[in-house]
Amino acid sequence: MALKTGSQLRTSASGCEVVVIRGTEAEGALLCAGGQMVAETPAQPASGDAGGSTLPVGKRYTDTESGVEVLVVKPGAGPLSFDGRELSLKAAKALPASD
Amino acid sequence: MNLTTLLEMVASGNGDTVLIGSKEQGLTGEELRARASAGAKLIQDAGSQTVVYLGGNGPAFPVALFAAAYAAVPFLPLNYRLSAEQIDEILARQPKPFLISDDPLRTGHGALSLEEFLNLAAPGGAPHEPGGADGEDIAVLLMTSGTTAAPKSAVLRHRHLTSYVLGSVEFASAEPGDATIVCVPPYHIAAVANLISNLYAGRRVVYLDHFTAADWLDIVTKEQITNAMVVPTMLVRIVRELDKRGTPGPGSLRGLSYGGAKIAATVLADALRLFPTTGFVNAYGLTETASSIAVLGPEDHRDALASEDPHVRARLASVGRALPGVEIEIHDPLGRPCAPGVVGDIVVRGPQIAGEYKESGSLVDPAGWFHTRDLGHIDGEGFIFVQGRSDDTIIRGGENIAPAEIEDVLARHPAVADVAVAAIPHEEWGQGIGAFVVLKEGQTEEEDELKNWVRSQLRSSKTPDLVRFVPELPTTPTGKILRRDLVRSLATEAAR
């Protein structure tokens, strides 16, 4: 499944939600705590944080191979992976406050 | 994703931090979210399709903006200085407006006062019905300042504003205790962008509703403000007030951002001297570009000041380089990119660029470029220099003349405090060059002397046809010079 830039994705496996900052046409599933992330609201609410350590809100995660980048908008258990590869935390940018 | 996604991130990551107002009485991230949700319920119950905000700066502004986003209707902040007729005319074009006003009696139309709105949108009130705006939905409508034409409503969709914030701010990157002071009015893009990006960064926003330099300096000291954004006219007054007090700028201020209009080199030099430990940022952006698209950062300012190379020194007058995610080019009249140093039209593209008006639709060209209608050039290292509005270009006997070039020469005259150059009607040339000059205190200068000063440095066709001395230059509240008003004053003068 391709990932569309700007879409907000969730899964029943974790309370974590992400927004796709950089999407891809490449085939592959985005998983969080083992569950596939999709645009629809899951029928069952997140079953709890049975996965790995909590992904904090506001952090960005990337897959260098596909270029996929996501932003965590709701915290929840990780890890995040795309097409079987675990996403890595992206370092914060330092920009001067312009407003 | 929409603006409420950002607010919910703030409520989740910075829920207990006071982010709006004073340390003691301000709203936390979670209180703002709860109030916005309750405010959205009011809007939905009223069946309104726009939220019109007709008030000054204060907590009602962010609550109303995010309430509109939760209710998935556009937010339209209006200039409270407009006449009753102008307000009526704008309201008549809004389907079912939800009106929040600092003076409900003046506006009628069943307006709520700011206080009533805040009381009704109380935390713990009934939450809004879920659904929410799509990225394509209109988030904010802003009336352009209309210095060169009749005002238009610029359309900013949720995706433009969220792209701006995600492209230029790191979530919760502010230090604990950081605070910013905002004195640009709510109907200006800077106030909208400033609010969202500071909330996202976790930096407390302190509002000063009516700017005076003395109040500004006192609040910066009292609230230990670390960051501020001002328009050049405000910086002029702050510098003057500090000179009067004989004190340097408050030491808590780590960052001072200025923009929105051209700044005089002398004012910037004075400000840099009075705020020796503050990092200066020049930001360039338009309403139609969802705020800043280029930034001259603190290091750029320091490098330019310290350099012996005139090209590097000149960068103090530049607006810096394009933000990541934004492309800026200079195009010639045929739409081809110009070489470094060549003046042409400044064009911009990227996910935050809206370039759309309610009246005329999208003005983005098929290749994605939006024409800013500003003229300028880019140097070999990507620093952008803005020369002025293309609409202000004077066409004198077929020759195109940029007011900025003549203004720069006149501003260097030792007797001149401030100057604006504009096209005036001219029998022989179609348009002539009018120079409107504010003299420094105690100076008496003759019209001919200033004409000769320009003639000695530029071609004779660029010599002003007329010089008028004025006590001050008329500006919009955000510092843009109203050249139209200056030219109109000549007609009044001729009629007398």
Side-chain angles (χ1 to χ4, degrees), chain B residues 186-253:
Chain B
Y187 54 85
H188 192 277
I189 178 62
V192 173
N194 184 290
L195 168 68
I196 304 165
S197 55
N198 279 302
L199 284 173
Y200 191 75
R203 192 179 296 115
R204 182 167 60 100
V205 176
V206 176
Y207 285 117
L208 170 60
D209 195 22
H210 294 287
F211 175 86
T212 66
D215 286 351
W216 189 91
L217 286 167
D218 292 346
I219 293 177
V220 168
T221 305
K222 177 174 170 272
E223 293 283 340
Q224 289 292 293
I225 299 291
T226 53
N227 297 75
M229 197 212 60
V230 292
V231 297
T233 37
M234 294 173 184
L235 198 52
V236 171
R237 288 173 196 171
I238 291 163
V239 163
R240 209 181 287 154
E241 177 71 18
L242 286 172
D243 274 337
K244 199 173 90 186
R245 293 183 183 187
T247 55
S252 65
L253 203 65

Side-chain angles (χ1 to χ4, degrees), chain B residues 245-268:
Chain B
R245 293 183 183 187
T247 55
S252 65
L253 203 65
R254 291 203 311 268
L256 182 60
S257 159
Y258 59 95
K262 204 175 132 183
I263 189 164
T266 49
V267 171
L268 182 58

Side-chain angles (χ1 to χ4, degrees), chain B residues 34-42 44-45 120 122-129:
Chain B
R35 280 181 180 274
S37 171
K41 179 81 169 94
L42 300 173
Q44 288 172 328
D45 287 350
L120 289 168
H128 68 287
E129 287 148 37

